[in-house]
C-alpha cells in the first residue's frame, strides 16, 4: 500500500459547531481542579527505580488511580504517559523504565482501578451519552490531560521530554489529549479507535462499535442524538488540531478497529510531522501480532533521543511497512 492508496481514506470532516467551545470549557474546568496528588510508595521492582501508586482528582473531582515509575539517580530523562485499551486497565511498563524513561500510567474513569462509579449496562461508550457534556468520554480525555500535568509535577525538573502513548482506545485518547496539550514532544498511537464514527460502527465486529450498533438496533430513535454526542469524540476532529510529532501504527487486518478508520485519522493530521508504520494485523490471535514489538522498539528509541531526526515525517520516512 502506497501513500496514494492510503490517502483515499479521507472522509469529509463534519465537526459540531461548538466543538472547540466544549473542549476549551473542559480545559478551563480542569484548570480549576486541584489534582491534589497522593502517592504511596511501593516495593521497588529494580534497584534504582522508585514505584509510587498514585491518585489524583480530575474533571468533576473524579479520583483517578495510576502509578509512576521513576529513576532515583536524579538524572534528567524523558517521561512516558500512557493509558489502556477499552474495558481494560494499565499494566506497569517496567521495560520502558529499564529502557531509560520515567513512566506514568493511569486507568481512566470507569475502567480498572478508577471504576468508582459503574458504566452504563449498555456499554462504557454509552455512559452519559445524552449530551457531549455528560459523556464519560469527556472525562476520560481530561483524565489523560490531568495525568500529564500530575506526572510532570511529580517528576519535575527531571523530565527532559514527554511522550504520550496509547493503543486502540488508549491510542484514541492519546490523539485527543495530544491535540489539547500543545507542549508534548511525541504522540504515539497504535491502531487508535474512535475515528470515522459512521464507518467503524458499520464495520467493526467487537468493542465499543458493537455496543453502539446493538444499542441503536434496539433504539433507532436515539441515533441522531447519540451520533451528535459522539461527533465530539471522533478522533478525526482532533487529528488536524495536533501540533506535535505523531508516530502512528496501523494494523491492516483488524475486525475490532478497521484499518480504514485509522488511516482516516492519519489523513486528517495536518501540519504536525507524521510517520506511519503499517503492520499486517492487530486485535487478533495471529502470530504476526508480535511485529508490534518492532513498532514499540522504534518509538522507544525515538523518544530517548535528544531530538527527533531532522527528517522525521519526510517522504522517505513517512510510510514504512513492518512485515517480517
Amino acid at each position: 500500500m502506497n501513500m496514494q492508496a492510503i490517502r483515499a481514506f479521507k472522509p469529509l470532516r463534519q465537526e459540531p459547531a461548538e466543538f472547540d467551545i466544549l473542549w476549551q470549557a473542559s480545559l478551563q474546568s480542569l484548570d480549576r481542579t486541584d489534582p491534589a496528588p497522593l502517592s504511596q510508595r511501593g516495593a521497588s521492582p529494580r534497584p534504582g527505580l522508585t514505584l509510587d501508586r498514585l491518585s489524583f482528582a480530575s474533571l468533576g473531582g473524579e479520583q483517578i488511580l495510576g502509578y509512576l515509575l521513576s529513576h532515583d539517580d536524579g538524572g534528567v530523562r524523558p517521561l512516558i504517559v500512557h493509558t489502556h485499551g477499552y474495558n481494560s486497565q494499565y499494566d506497569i511498563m517496567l521495560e520502558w523504565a529499564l529502557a531509560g524513561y520515567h513512566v506514568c500510567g493511569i486507568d481512566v474513569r470507569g475502567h480498572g482501578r478508577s471504576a468508582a462509579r459503574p458504566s452504563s449496562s449498555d456499554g462504557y461508550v454509552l455512559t452519559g451519552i445524552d449530551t457531549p457534556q455528560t459523556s464519560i468520554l469527556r472525562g476520560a480525555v481530561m483524565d489523560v490531560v490531568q495525568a500529564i500535568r500530575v506526572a510532570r509535577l511529580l517528576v519535575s525538573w527531571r523530565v527532559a521530554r514527554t511522550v504520550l502513548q496509547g493503543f486502540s482506545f488508549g491510542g484514541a485518547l492519546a490523539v485527543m489529549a495530544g491535540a489539547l496539550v500543545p507542549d508534548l514532544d511525541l504522540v504515539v498511537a497504535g491502531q487508535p479507535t474512535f475515528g470515522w464514527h459512521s464507518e467503524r460502527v458499520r464495520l467493526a465486529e467487537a468493542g465499543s462499535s458493537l455496543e453502539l450498533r446493538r444499542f441503536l438496533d434496539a433504539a433507532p430513535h436515539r441515533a441522531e442524538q447519540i451520533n451528535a454526542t459522539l461527533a465530539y469524540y471522533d478522533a478525526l476532529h482532533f487529528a488536524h488540531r495536533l501540533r506535535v510529532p505523531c508516530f502512528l501504527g496501523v494494523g491492516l487486518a483488524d475486525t475490532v478497529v478497521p484499518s480504514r478508520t485509522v488511516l482516516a485519522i492519519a489523513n486528517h493530521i495536518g501540519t504536525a510531522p507524521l510517520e506511519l508504520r503499517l503492520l499486517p494485523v492487530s486485535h487478533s490471535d495471529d502470530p504476526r501480532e508480535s511485529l508490534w514489538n518492532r513498532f514499540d522498539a522504534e518509538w522507544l528509541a525515538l523518544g530517548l533521543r535528544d531530538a527527533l531526526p531532522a527528517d522525521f515525517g519526510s517522504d522517505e520516512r513517512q510510510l514504512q511497512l513492518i512485515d517480517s
Side-chain angles (χ1 to χ4, degrees):
M1 182 178 287
N2 58 30
M3 284 304 298
Q4 184 176 0
I6 285 172
R7 288 181 176 131
F9 300 104
K10 190 174 183 180
L12 186 65
R13 206 174 63 243
Q14 297 178 313
E15 296 179 8
E18 297 189 347
F19 184 89
D20 286 324
I21 293 173
L22 174 81
W23 290 108
Q24 288 167 6
S26 299
L27 288 170
Q28 289 167 1
S29 181
L30 193 67
D31 290 342
R32 296 190 294 270
T33 302
D34 180 2
L38 299 174
S39 62
Q40 182 176 5
R41 185 61 46 88
S44 173
R46 290 287 194 281
L49 286 176
T50 297
L51 173 63
D52 289 301
R53 301 288 184 172
L54 304 180
S55 66
F56 59 85
S58 183
L59 189 73
E62 194 87 5
Q63 286 296 306
I64 303 303
L65 302 185
Y67 77 94
L68 176 66
L69 266 177
S70 59
H71 293 259
D72 57 16
D73 59 6
V76 177
R77 300 171 183 270
L79 165 71
I80 298 173
V81 178
H82 72 99
T83 186
H84 49 77
Y86 195 71
N87 290 332
S88 185
Q89 61 184 24
Y90 70 74
D91 293 318
I92 295 177
M93 302 306 292
L94 176 61
E95 60 268 37
W96 295 354
L98 294 177
Y101 288 88
H102 304 300
V103 186
C104 176
I106 66 161
D107 290 343
V108 298
R109 64 187 63 202
H111 280 84
R113 306 159 187 84
S114 301
R117 287 183 288 177
S119 303
S120 167
S121 59
D122 295 308
Y124 180 85
V125 71
L126 288 152
T127 307
I129 197 68
D130 289 339
T131 70
Q133 291 77 12
T134 57
S135 170
I136 199 169
L137 296 175
R138 175 174 175 249
V141 175
M142 290 295 100
D143 296 343
V144 176
V145 173
Q146 192 78 314
I148 296 167
R149 296 177 176 184
V150 167
R152 284 172 162 172
L153 174 68
L154 294 177
V155 188
S156 188
W157 58 269
R158 292 183 290 151
V159 174
R161 293 169 301 285
T162 306
V163 177
L164 179 59
Q165 187 273 347
F167 184 88
S168 192
F169 176 57
L173 293 176
V175 170
M176 295 178 194
L180 300 173
V181 180
D183 59 345
L184 298 171
D185 295 279
L186 184 66
V187 169
V188 178
Q191 203 70 357
T193 188
F194 281 68
W196 199 356
H197 168 63
S198 60
E199 190 74 349
R200 72 184 184 88
V201 171
R202 183 178 75 86
L203 293 176
E205 299 175 7
S208 62
S209 299
L210 183 59
E211 291 175 355
L212 284 165
R213 193 157 64 241
R214 286 173 172 167
F215 184 85
L216 292 174
D217 285 347
H221 62 284
R222 297 283 305 278
E224 182 176 359
Q225 172 260 316
I226 285 175
N227 290 333
T229 292
L230 290 176
Y232 286 87
Y233 305 97
D234 193 320
L236 292 184
H237 303 156
F238 292 85
H240 79 103
R241 291 173 166 83
L242 284 161
R243 296 293 181 268
V244 299
C246 302
F247 193 73
L248 266 61
V250 184
L252 295 176
D254 191 326
T255 59
V256 179
V257 181
S259 60
R260 63 174 56 200
T261 68
V262 182
L263 294 172
I265 295 170
N267 284 328
H268 278 284
I269 294 176
T271 59
L274 167 68
E275 292 199 0
L276 287 175
R277 298 295 180 264
L278 304 183
L279 297 96
V281 295
S282 53
H283 290 104
S284 77
D285 296 325
D286 191 303
R288 292 174 295 173
E289 288 282 346
S290 64
L291 292 172
W292 281 95
N293 293 331
R294 285 183 54 192
F295 174 81
D296 289 340
E298 186 174 0
W299 70 256
L300 283 167
L302 284 171
L304 286 170
R305 298 171 60 123
D306 290 337
L308 292 177
D311 61 347
F312 184 89
S314 65
D315 290 344
E316 292 75 19
R317 290 182 53 107
Q318 187 176 48
L319 178 64
Q320 296 180 30
L321 179 65
I322 300 176
D323 63 352
S324 62

